[in-house]
Amino acid sequence: MDFRLGPKSDAFRAEVRAFLDEHLDEETIERAHQTGTMHSREFHRAIGRQGWLAATWPAEYGGQERDPFEMTALRDELRLAGAPTDGMGLSVIVCQTIRRVATEEQKADFLPRALAGEICMSLGYSEPDSGSDVASIKTTATRDGDEWVINGQKMFTTLAHVADYVFLLARTNHDVPKHKGLTMFLVPLDSPGIEIHPVHTVGGERTNATFYTDVRVSDHFRIGDVDRGWDVMTVALTFERGGFGLSEADRVWEQAVAWAKETRRPDGSRVIDDPFVRERLATMRTNNEVARLLAYRTSFVAATGGLPGVEGSMHKLFYAESMTSDAAELVDMLGAEGVVQRGEDGAPVDGWVEHLFRHAAVTTIYGGTSEMQRSIIAERGLGLPRSGR
Amino acid sequence: MDLNLTDEQHEVVSAVRAFLTDHCPPDVVRASEPGGFDPDLWRAFCELAGPTIGVSEKLGGGGASLLDLELVCEQVGSFLAPVPFIDGAVAARLLASSGSSGAAGLDLLIAEPSAVGTVALRPAVDGTATLVPSGSVAGVVVAMDADELVVVTGDGDGPAPSNLGSSPVADRAIRVPGRTVLGTGDMARAAHGQAIDEWRTLMSGALVGLGEAALAIGVEYAKNRHQFGAPIGSFQSIARDLADAATLVDGARLLAREAAWAQTDDDEQFAPLASMAFLFATRAARRASNVALHVHGGYGFTLEYDIQLYYRRAEAWPLALGDPRQGAAHLADALFGPIEAP
Ligand SMILES: Cc1cc2nc3c(=O)[nH]c(=O)nc-3n(C[C@H](O)[C@H](O)[C@H](O)COP(=O)(O)OP(=O)(O)OC[C@H]3O[C@@H](n4cnc5c(N)ncnc54)[C@H](O)[C@@H]3O)c2cc1C
């Protein structure tokens, strides 16, 4: 066994750090937090130009053929630096799916621009009445000659206000079971008939409700076969889980430890010498280590030719749930001052703990809720009978 | 990164597993209670993998790494095998690291493979090491007595007090004639500290095995027991607890193996990782055995069902080292340095 990512990843990590020193400034990070839009067009382009949106891709796509551990190192460094990476994450999911299911013509049209960071993708699966049960969506696409006409509403279309396309799941057939009448589209967001309304969240992240009224797209924008949208979703979902490594919890833990070492209480004692503080930080460090190992295992399974379904769910479940409870412990640890927010004088740990508390809750919800992950672990991992749902 | 075992490690694990499947079914575990030691099983086990396998070959051992030992411990824990493998392995390695003063004790363990060695985890009080793991059956005991790390040989004073885990724990007098001082002062404390970290790591392995086996029993029961016309495993609140426990056990296994690996490959991280592994494996094993007992309903509470064997040990085994929250404080010392004097 060897628990190090390895010399290749270490070398790449150093490269990424140098790149971040040059291309990621405090202003970009601060702007993302101010606006809640975890995306910067310039930074996204810079990453694209560097070839890192296609870091693991084959050379025929202009990729760098890096292994999953190098990808982990890349993501680790982006996380530790606090870089706004939503656009990167969403675009990579869409590109990976297009690569697997789209026509050569579509690949030639979308992939070079997307992998270069010139365009950004968003995901339009969820609707007001369909989230976990995403196959029950109601947005429709109706054929009209060589065109499709889209009508309906999507909810939580993150980055739609800055992205160029939405990867949109629509119903194309009402006469078959719900999974069998869906089709996927890549809809240009500047099409007439699209309205985008902001939705603000407790974590400060902005997402959107998007409305589609008689939006027309040509058949070129249909990804995958008609009525086989669920197959496309299945491919896309495998890219949603995985590639993880360190998380916000690792970054904030480091910040909290540094703060606790340099901060003194009114009685002159160091915060880090308080036994309650020590126990919480030690417990969180342990959970972070387990989350990291579960993430790295996911990369390892992928790197050795496996499909890390259950492993990915275990990582998602554990990191989200432990980050949520550890963030609450850390706010408590800060006492009355724990509520003071970033930007205010005297906000402990520059307000990052308070921010982590607000952000953490969403990690148990998006990308498949904790309940969905548990079902996958129970049924596919433990072989328990399918539950009634 | 490589999370696979070597072929050789696979072979060892399968051999130990096959042996324990044949020789250590739950009946054997039950028969060993309350003393928690089966001398026949131990003798046979030592022919396969005695506790001195973790000593270097030039000192007469088997040259196994701490990771190799951890893998064996996962199996020992999985079968709740009433054999003092962890304590013996840690004692042998501590004696081996003590130079010439440890030689006599080590020779004894090597000459007689089924001789039982152990290390008192907590410092002796007035010349008595209390509730020493395997203390009721050990012939070689290493302990801290004030400023000295000492080794004593000879039989103990009697059987284990009846205890939650049916473990062979017992007090041992260590100011006895013929005792050997292995070291004094900081050197002694460091050697003893290293042995405890190895114990933490190997116990983590055993707890992972225990948790995994308990979970498997719970899952099997949940698939077969029907209520309201359906297997209880199809009820989400049952599946949820089992899925959570499975995640904890998988995490604990990775962390226990990482700690064991670090002992040879990432020395600086070994001490904090050993503490983390022990804390987390304790949590995972307790949660898994508690959930597995609970899904049995009333039957889980009866002595007839095997799950109680796991449930009691998951709580009891880690306590040999004291309050687990003290363990978190110990980890904090390793991570943040000691508390500053006011
Ligand atoms: C900040 C944010 C960003 C997001 N970004 C995007 C995006 O970019 N694109 C996109 O398409 N979506 C996005 N989502 C939507 C997200 O994927 C959904 O919120 C999520 O899938 C849950 O769906 P829901 O909100 O409709 O909750 P529901 O599905 O209504 O669930 C409500 C509760 O019921 C539980 N539940 C549901 N079904 C079951 C079941 N069978 N068994 C047990 N419990 C169940 C859930 O776990 C949850 O706790 C985002 C959400 C948020 C909050």
Side-chain angles (χ1 to χ4, degrees), chain A residues 349-379:
Chain A
V349 202
D350 289 334
W352 286 119
V353 168
E354 190 272 350
H355 179 267
L356 184 71
F357 173 81
R358 285 185 287 115
H359 167 71
V362 79
T363 62
T364 66
I365 297 165
Y366 64 17
T369 67
S370 290
E371 284 69 27
M372 295 297 107
Q373 310 304 338
R374 290 187 180 104
S375 294
I376 292 169
I377 297 164
E379 289 164 24

PDB file of all heavy atoms in Angstrom, chain A residues 349-379:
ATOM      1  N   VAL A 349     -11.511  34.063  13.039  1.00  0.00           N
ATOM      2  CA  VAL A 349     -11.123  33.306  11.841  1.00  0.00           C
ATOM      3  C   VAL A 349     -11.653  34.011  10.578  1.00  0.00           C
ATOM      4  O   VAL A 349     -12.082  33.358   9.629  1.00  0.00           O
ATOM      5  CB  VAL A 349     -11.615  31.834  11.905  1.00  0.00           C
ATOM      6  CG1 VAL A 349     -10.785  30.937  10.973  1.00  0.00           C
ATOM      7  CG2 VAL A 349     -11.521  31.269  13.319  1.00  0.00           C
ATOM      8  N   ASP A 350     -11.620  35.343  10.594  1.00  0.00           N
ATOM      9  CA  ASP A 350     -12.097  36.148   9.460  1.00  0.00           C
ATOM     10  C   ASP A 350     -13.508  35.755   9.007  1.00  0.00           C
ATOM     11  O   ASP A 350     -13.846  35.905   7.831  1.00  0.00           O
ATOM     12  CB  ASP A 350     -11.151  36.000   8.251  1.00  0.00           C
ATOM     13  CG  ASP A 350      -9.827  36.708   8.495  1.00  0.00           C
ATOM     14  OD1 ASP A 350      -9.821  37.667   9.298  1.00  0.00           O
ATOM     15  OD2 ASP A 350      -8.817  36.275   7.914  1.00  0.00           O
ATOM     16  N   GLY A 351     -14.290  35.199   9.901  1.00  0.00           N
ATOM     17  CA  GLY A 351     -15.660  34.835   9.546  1.00  0.00           C
ATOM     18  C   GLY A 351     -15.787  33.538   8.751  1.00  0.00           C
ATOM     19  O   GLY A 351     -16.892  33.147   8.373  1.00  0.00           O
ATOM     20  N   TRP A 352     -14.697  32.846   8.531  1.00  0.00           N
ATOM     21  CA  TRP A 352     -14.774  31.639   7.699  1.00  0.00           C
ATOM     22  C   TRP A 352     -15.509  30.494   8.386  1.00  0.00           C
ATOM     23  O   TRP A 352     -16.127  29.651   7.713  1.00  0.00           O
ATOM     24  CB  TRP A 352     -13.378  31.178   7.260  1.00  0.00           C
ATOM     25  CG  TRP A 352     -12.777  32.051   6.190  1.00  0.00           C
ATOM     26  CD1 TRP A 352     -11.628  32.775   6.272  1.00  0.00           C
ATOM     27  CD2 TRP A 352     -13.304  32.279   4.867  1.00  0.00           C
ATOM     28  NE1 TRP A 352     -11.403  33.444   5.097  1.00  0.00           N
ATOM     29  CE2 TRP A 352     -12.413  33.160   4.213  1.00  0.00           C
ATOM     30  CE3 TRP A 352     -14.446  31.836   4.186  1.00  0.00           C
ATOM     31  CZ2 TRP A 352     -12.620  33.594   2.901  1.00  0.00           C
ATOM     32  CZ3 TRP A 352     -14.642  32.271   2.886  1.00  0.00           C
ATOM     33  CH2 TRP A 352     -13.742  33.140   2.256  1.00  0.00           C
ATOM     34  N   VAL A 353     -15.468  30.463   9.714  1.00  0.00           N
ATOM     35  CA  VAL A 353     -16.185  29.389  10.414  1.00  0.00           C
ATOM     36  C   VAL A 353     -17.695  29.610  10.294  1.00  0.00           C
ATOM     37  O   VAL A 353     -18.449  28.686   9.964  1.00  0.00           O
ATOM     38  CB  VAL A 353     -15.749  29.313  11.895  1.00  0.00           C
ATOM     39  CG1 VAL A 353     -16.686  28.409  12.684  1.00  0.00           C
ATOM     40  CG2 VAL A 353     -14.305  28.822  11.987  1.00  0.00           C
ATOM     41  N   GLU A 354     -18.101  30.854  10.524  1.00  0.00           N
ATOM     42  CA  GLU A 354     -19.521  31.184  10.387  1.00  0.00           C
ATOM     43  C   GLU A 354     -19.975  30.881   8.950  1.00  0.00           C
ATOM     44  O   GLU A 354     -21.056  30.353   8.724  1.00  0.00           O
ATOM     45  CB  GLU A 354     -19.718  32.669  10.740  1.00  0.00           C
ATOM     46  CG  GLU A 354     -21.176  33.100  10.867  1.00  0.00           C
ATOM     47  CD  GLU A 354     -21.804  33.544   9.555  1.00  0.00           C
ATOM     48  OE1 GLU A 354     -21.075  33.720   8.538  1.00  0.00           O
ATOM     49  OE2 GLU A 354     -23.018  33.710   9.508  1.00  0.00           O
ATOM     50  N   HIS A 355     -19.108  31.187   7.993  1.00  0.00           N
ATOM     51  CA  HIS A 355     -19.458  30.915   6.598  1.00  0.00           C
ATOM     52  C   HIS A 355     -19.561  29.408   6.339  1.00  0.00           C
ATOM     53  O   HIS A 355     -20.481  28.947   5.659  1.00  0.00           O
ATOM     54  CB  HIS A 355     -18.440  31.552   5.646  1.00  0.00           C
ATOM     55  CG  HIS A 355     -18.763  31.275   4.212  1.00  0.00           C
ATOM     56  ND1 HIS A 355     -18.219  30.204   3.526  1.00  0.00           N
ATOM     57  CD2 HIS A 355     -19.627  31.870   3.362  1.00  0.00           C
ATOM     58  CE1 HIS A 355     -18.732  30.189   2.307  1.00  0.00           C
ATOM     59  NE2 HIS A 355     -19.575  31.173   2.174  1.00  0.00           N
ATOM     60  N   LEU A 356     -18.625  28.659   6.907  1.00  0.00           N
ATOM     61  CA  LEU A 356     -18.655  27.202   6.703  1.00  0.00           C
ATOM     62  C   LEU A 356     -19.957  26.616   7.240  1.00  0.00           C
ATOM     63  O   LEU A 356     -20.570  25.737   6.633  1.00  0.00           O
ATOM     64  CB  LEU A 356     -17.458  26.525   7.385  1.00  0.00           C
ATOM     65  CG  LEU A 356     -17.368  25.009   7.142  1.00  0.00           C
ATOM     66  CD1 LEU A 356     -16.969  24.709   5.700  1.00  0.00           C
ATOM     67  CD2 LEU A 356     -16.366  24.349   8.097  1.00  0.00           C
ATOM     68  N   PHE A 357     -20.378  27.132   8.402  1.00  0.00           N
ATOM     69  CA  PHE A 357     -21.627  26.646   8.990  1.00  0.00           C
ATOM     70  C   PHE A 357     -22.792  26.837   8.018  1.00  0.00           C
ATOM     71  O   PHE A 357     -23.600  25.939   7.804  1.00  0.00           O
ATOM     72  CB  PHE A 357     -21.914  27.386  10.300  1.00  0.00           C
ATOM     73  CG  PHE A 357     -23.266  27.061  10.868  1.00  0.00           C
ATOM     74  CD1 PHE A 357     -23.465  25.906  11.601  1.00  0.00           C
ATOM     75  CD2 PHE A 357     -24.361  27.894  10.627  1.00  0.00           C
ATOM     76  CE1 PHE A 357     -24.728  25.589  12.098  1.00  0.00           C
ATOM     77  CE2 PHE A 357     -25.619  27.582  11.116  1.00  0.00           C
ATOM     78  CZ  PHE A 357     -25.796  26.423  11.852  1.00  0.00           C
ATOM     79  N   ARG A 358     -22.850  28.026   7.400  1.00  0.00           N
ATOM     80  CA  ARG A 358     -23.973  28.287   6.493  1.00  0.00           C
ATOM     81  C   ARG A 358     -23.851  27.482   5.204  1.00  0.00           C
ATOM     82  O   ARG A 358     -24.822  26.995   4.658  1.00  0.00           O
ATOM     83  CB  ARG A 358     -24.067  29.789   6.175  1.00  0.00           C
ATOM     84  CG  ARG A 358     -24.633  30.588   7.332  1.00  0.00           C
ATOM     85  CD  ARG A 358     -24.831  32.049   6.973  1.00  0.00           C
ATOM     86  NE  ARG A 358     -23.547  32.755   6.896  1.00  0.00           N
ATOM     87  CZ  ARG A 358     -23.045  33.281   5.784  1.00  0.00           C
ATOM     88  NH1 ARG A 358     -23.724  33.197   4.647  1.00  0.00           N
ATOM     89  NH2 ARG A 358     -21.879  33.901   5.790  1.00  0.00           N
ATOM     90  N   HIS A 359     -22.617  27.328   4.741  1.00  0.00           N
ATOM     91  CA  HIS A 359     -22.414  26.608   3.481  1.00  0.00           C
ATOM     92  C   HIS A 359     -22.626  25.098   3.630  1.00  0.00           C
ATOM     93  O   HIS A 359     -23.193  24.445   2.752  1.00  0.00           O
ATOM     94  CB  HIS A 359     -21.003  26.867   2.955  1.00  0.00           C
ATOM     95  CG  HIS A 359     -20.596  25.939   1.849  1.00  0.00           C
ATOM     96  ND1 HIS A 359     -21.139  26.026   0.581  1.00  0.00           N
ATOM     97  CD2 HIS A 359     -19.753  24.876   1.832  1.00  0.00           C
ATOM     98  CE1 HIS A 359     -20.623  25.070  -0.177  1.00  0.00           C
ATOM     99  NE2 HIS A 359     -19.784  24.359   0.556  1.00  0.00           N
ATOM    100  N   ALA A 360     -22.173  24.542   4.755  1.00  0.00           N
ATOM    101  CA  ALA A 360     -22.086  23.080   4.883  1.00  0.00           C
ATOM    102  C   ALA A 360     -23.429  22.396   4.628  1.00  0.00           C
ATOM    103  O   ALA A 360     -23.485  21.327   4.014  1.00  0.00           O
ATOM    104  CB  ALA A 360     -21.548  22.710   6.265  1.00  0.00           C
ATOM    105  N   ALA A 361     -24.511  23.045   5.070  1.00  0.00           N
ATOM    106  CA  ALA A 361     -25.825  22.394   4.988  1.00  0.00           C
ATOM    107  C   ALA A 361     -26.163  21.979   3.556  1.00  0.00           C
ATOM    108  O   ALA A 361     -26.796  20.940   3.338  1.00  0.00           O
ATOM    109  CB  ALA A 361     -26.907  23.315   5.546  1.00  0.00           C
ATOM    110  N   VAL A 362     -25.729  22.763   2.583  1.00  0.00           N
ATOM    111  CA  VAL A 362     -26.130  22.455   1.213  1.00  0.00           C
ATOM    112  C   VAL A 362     -25.406  21.218   0.683  1.00  0.00           C
ATOM    113  O   VAL A 362     -25.896  20.534  -0.226  1.00  0.00           O
ATOM    114  CB  VAL A 362     -25.892  23.659   0.269  1.00  0.00           C
ATOM    115  CG1 VAL A 362     -24.429  23.787  -0.140  1.00  0.00           C
ATOM    116  CG2 VAL A 362     -26.757  23.519  -0.982  1.00  0.00           C
ATOM    117  N   THR A 363     -24.267  20.904   1.262  1.00  0.00           N
ATOM    118  CA  THR A 363     -23.526  19.746   0.750  1.00  0.00           C
ATOM    119  C   THR A 363     -24.281  18.444   1.018  1.00  0.00           C
ATOM    120  O   THR A 363     -24.039  17.442   0.353  1.00  0.00           O
ATOM    121  CB  THR A 363     -22.107  19.658   1.351  1.00  0.00           C
ATOM    122  OG1 THR A 363     -22.204  19.489   2.765  1.00  0.00           O
ATOM    123  CG2 THR A 363     -21.301  20.899   1.027  1.00  0.00           C
ATOM    124  N   THR A 364     -25.200  18.476   1.995  1.00  0.00           N
ATOM    125  CA  THR A 364     -26.005  17.272   2.247  1.00  0.00           C
ATOM    126  C   THR A 364     -27.207  17.206   1.307  1.00  0.00           C
ATOM    127  O   THR A 364     -27.975  16.258   1.358  1.00  0.00           O
ATOM    128  CB  THR A 364     -26.520  17.228   3.706  1.00  0.00           C
ATOM    129  OG1 THR A 364     -27.448  18.304   3.897  1.00  0.00           O
ATOM    130  CG2 THR A 364     -25.385  17.358   4.702  1.00  0.00           C
ATOM    131  N   ILE A 365     -27.366  18.238   0.479  1.00  0.00           N
ATOM    132  CA  ILE A 365     -28.552  18.312  -0.374  1.00  0.00           C
ATOM    133  C   ILE A 365     -28.218  18.219  -1.866  1.00  0.00           C
ATOM    134  O   ILE A 365     -28.755  17.379  -2.583  1.00  0.00           O
ATOM    135  CB  ILE A 365     -29.327  19.627  -0.092  1.00  0.00           C
ATOM    136  CG1 ILE A 365     -29.827  19.636   1.351  1.00  0.00           C
ATOM    137  CG2 ILE A 365     -30.488  19.784  -1.070  1.00  0.00           C
ATOM    138  CD1 ILE A 365     -30.265  20.985   1.847  1.00  0.00           C
ATOM    139  N   TYR A 366     -27.326  19.115  -2.342  1.00  0.00           N
ATOM    140  CA  TYR A 366     -27.120  19.081  -3.798  1.00  0.00           C
ATOM    141  C   TYR A 366     -26.229  17.915  -4.214  1.00  0.00           C
ATOM    142  O   TYR A 366     -25.587  17.288  -3.374  1.00  0.00           O
ATOM    143  CB  TYR A 366     -26.661  20.424  -4.351  1.00  0.00           C
ATOM    144  CG  TYR A 366     -25.338  21.005  -3.932  1.00  0.00           C
ATOM    145  CD1 TYR A 366     -24.340  20.248  -3.345  1.00  0.00           C
ATOM    146  CD2 TYR A 366     -25.082  22.362  -4.167  1.00  0.00           C
ATOM    147  CE1 TYR A 366     -23.131  20.818  -3.001  1.00  0.00           C
ATOM    148  CE2 TYR A 366     -23.863  22.936  -3.817  1.00  0.00           C
ATOM    149  CZ  TYR A 366     -22.893  22.155  -3.232  1.00  0.00           C
ATOM    150  OH  TYR A 366     -21.708  22.714  -2.899  1.00  0.00           O
ATOM    151  N   GLY A 367     -26.243  17.620  -5.505  1.00  0.00           N
ATOM    152  CA  GLY A 367     -25.456  16.491  -5.986  1.00  0.00           C
ATOM    153  C   GLY A 367     -25.980  15.162  -5.456  1.00  0.00           C
ATOM    154  O   GLY A 367     -25.240  14.189  -5.363  1.00  0.00           O
ATOM    155  N   GLY A 368     -27.270  15.104  -5.125  1.00  0.00           N
ATOM    156  CA  GLY A 368     -27.855  13.887  -4.537  1.00  0.00           C
ATOM    157  C   GLY A 368     -27.829  14.000  -3.026  1.00  0.00           C
ATOM    158  O   GLY A 368     -26.753  14.067  -2.422  1.00  0.00           O
ATOM    159  N   THR A 369     -28.993  14.044  -2.394  1.00  0.00           N
ATOM    160  CA  THR A 369     -29.050  14.252  -0.942  1.00  0.00           C
ATOM    161  C   THR A 369     -28.428  13.067  -0.198  1.00  0.00           C
ATOM    162  O   THR A 369     -28.226  11.991  -0.761  1.00  0.00           O
ATOM    163  CB  THR A 369     -30.505  14.405  -0.450  1.00  0.00           C
ATOM    164  OG1 THR A 369     -31.178  13.147  -0.637  1.00  0.00           O
ATOM    165  CG2 THR A 369     -31.257  15.496  -1.204  1.00  0.00           C
ATOM    166  N   SER A 370     -28.165  13.285   1.079  1.00  0.00           N
ATOM    167  CA  SER A 370     -27.606  12.207   1.904  1.00  0.00           C
ATOM    168  C   SER A 370     -28.509  10.976   1.881  1.00  0.00           C
ATOM    169  O   SER A 370     -28.026   9.839   1.891  1.00  0.00           O
ATOM    170  CB  SER A 370     -27.421  12.687   3.349  1.00  0.00           C
ATOM    171  OG  SER A 370     -26.374  13.627   3.415  1.00  0.00           O
ATOM    172  N   GLU A 371     -29.822  11.208   1.831  1.00  0.00           N
ATOM    173  CA  GLU A 371     -30.752  10.072   1.789  1.00  0.00           C
ATOM    174  C   GLU A 371     -30.537   9.248   0.519  1.00  0.00           C
ATOM    175  O   GLU A 371     -30.562   8.016   0.551  1.00  0.00           O
ATOM    176  CB  GLU A 371     -32.197  10.566   1.850  1.00  0.00           C
ATOM    177  CG  GLU A 371     -32.662  11.012   3.229  1.00  0.00           C
ATOM    178  CD  GLU A 371     -31.995  12.285   3.702  1.00  0.00           C
ATOM    179  OE1 GLU A 371     -31.585  13.115   2.858  1.00  0.00           O
ATOM    180  OE2 GLU A 371     -31.858  12.453   4.923  1.00  0.00           O
ATOM    181  N   MET A 372     -30.322   9.942  -0.591  1.00  0.00           N
ATOM    182  CA  MET A 372     -30.095   9.217  -1.855  1.00  0.00           C
ATOM    183  C   MET A 372     -28.780   8.428  -1.777  1.00  0.00           C
ATOM    184  O   MET A 372     -28.695   7.303  -2.265  1.00  0.00           O
ATOM    185  CB  MET A 372     -30.050  10.201  -3.029  1.00  0.00           C
ATOM    186  CG  MET A 372     -31.365  10.930  -3.292  1.00  0.00           C
ATOM    187  SD  MET A 372     -32.703   9.806  -3.746  1.00  0.00           S
ATOM    188  CE  MET A 372     -33.680   9.840  -2.278  1.00  0.00           C
ATOM    189  N   GLN A 373     -27.753   9.031  -1.175  1.00  0.00           N
ATOM    190  CA  GLN A 373     -26.472   8.318  -1.055  1.00  0.00           C
ATOM    191  C   GLN A 373     -26.638   7.067  -0.182  1.00  0.00           C
ATOM    192  O   GLN A 373     -26.096   6.008  -0.475  1.00  0.00           O
ATOM    193  CB  GLN A 373     -25.378   9.212  -0.447  1.00  0.00           C
ATOM    194  CG  GLN A 373     -25.222  10.587  -1.090  1.00  0.00           C
ATOM    195  CD  GLN A 373     -24.974  10.543  -2.586  1.00  0.00           C
ATOM    196  OE1 GLN A 373     -24.518   9.535  -3.135  1.00  0.00           O
ATOM    197  NE2 GLN A 373     -25.286  11.633  -3.272  1.00  0.00           N
ATOM    198  N   ARG A 374     -27.389   7.225   0.901  1.00  0.00           N
ATOM    199  CA  ARG A 374     -27.582   6.074   1.794  1.00  0.00           C
ATOM    200  C   ARG A 374     -28.312   4.943   1.070  1.00  0.00           C
ATOM    201  O   ARG A 374     -28.004   3.765   1.281  1.00  0.00           O
ATOM    202  CB  ARG A 374     -28.373   6.488   3.038  1.00  0.00           C
ATOM    203  CG  ARG A 374     -27.589   7.386   3.970  1.00  0.00           C
ATOM    204  CD  ARG A 374     -28.362   7.612   5.260  1.00  0.00           C
ATOM    205  NE  ARG A 374     -27.635   8.469   6.171  1.00  0.00           N
ATOM    206  CZ  ARG A 374     -27.913   9.757   6.404  1.00  0.00           C
ATOM    207  NH1 ARG A 374     -28.935  10.338   5.799  1.00  0.00           N
ATOM    208  NH2 ARG A 374     -27.193  10.447   7.246  1.00  0.00           N
ATOM    209  N   SER A 375     -29.271   5.303   0.227  1.00  0.00           N
ATOM    210  CA  SER A 375     -29.980   4.254  -0.514  1.00  0.00           C
ATOM    211  C   SER A 375     -29.022   3.509  -1.428  1.00  0.00           C
ATOM    212  O   SER A 375     -29.101   2.289  -1.558  1.00  0.00           O
ATOM    213  CB  SER A 375     -31.108   4.851  -1.362  1.00  0.00           C
ATOM    214  OG  SER A 375     -32.087   5.399  -0.525  1.00  0.00           O
ATOM    215  N   ILE A 376     -28.127   4.261  -2.072  1.00  0.00           N
ATOM    216  CA  ILE A 376     -27.162   3.609  -2.970  1.00  0.00           C
ATOM    217  C   ILE A 376     -26.259   2.664  -2.168  1.00  0.00           C
ATOM    218  O   ILE A 376     -26.009   1.526  -2.574  1.00  0.00           O
ATOM    219  CB  ILE A 376     -26.311   4.680  -3.705  1.00  0.00           C
ATOM    220  CG1 ILE A 376     -27.210   5.465  -4.674  1.00  0.00           C
ATOM    221  CG2 ILE A 376     -25.132   4.048  -4.429  1.00  0.00           C
ATOM    222  CD1 ILE A 376     -26.550   6.705  -5.259  1.00  0.00           C
ATOM    223  N   ILE A 377     -25.791   3.135  -1.013  1.00  0.00           N
ATOM    224  CA  ILE A 377     -24.903   2.301  -0.189  1.00  0.00           C
ATOM    225  C   ILE A 377     -25.654   1.056   0.297  1.00  0.00           C
ATOM    226  O   ILE A 377     -25.135  -0.062   0.243  1.00  0.00           O
ATOM    227  CB  ILE A 377     -24.375   3.108   1.016  1.00  0.00           C
ATOM    228  CG1 ILE A 377     -23.527   4.284   0.528  1.00  0.00           C
ATOM    229  CG2 ILE A 377     -23.572   2.214   1.964  1.00  0.00           C
ATOM    230  CD1 ILE A 377     -23.281   5.351   1.591  1.00  0.00           C
ATOM    231  N   ALA A 378     -26.899   1.265   0.747  1.00  0.00           N
ATOM    232  CA  ALA A 378     -27.664   0.146   1.306  1.00  0.00           C
ATOM    233  C   ALA A 378     -27.981  -0.885   0.227  1.00  0.00           C
ATOM    234  O   ALA A 378     -27.818  -2.088   0.443  1.00  0.00           O
ATOM    235  CB  ALA A 378     -28.952   0.657   1.956  1.00  0.00           C
ATOM    236  N   GLU A 379     -28.413  -0.404  -0.939  1.00  0.00           N
ATOM    237  CA  GLU A 379     -28.875  -1.351  -1.955  1.00  0.00           C
ATOM    238  C   GLU A 379     -27.727  -1.927  -2.768  1.00  0.00           C
ATOM    239  O   GLU A 379     -27.610  -3.136  -2.924  1.00  0.00           O
ATOM    240  CB  GLU A 379     -29.908  -0.666  -2.861  1.00  0.00           C
ATOM    241  CG  GLU A 379     -31.219  -0.442  -2.113  1.00  0.00           C
ATOM    242  CD  GLU A 379     -32.144   0.545  -2.798  1.00  0.00           C
ATOM    243  OE1 GLU A 379     -32.028   0.724  -4.026  1.00  0.00           O
ATOM    244  OE2 GLU A 379     -32.985   1.141  -2.106  1.00  0.00           O
TER     245      GLU A 379
END
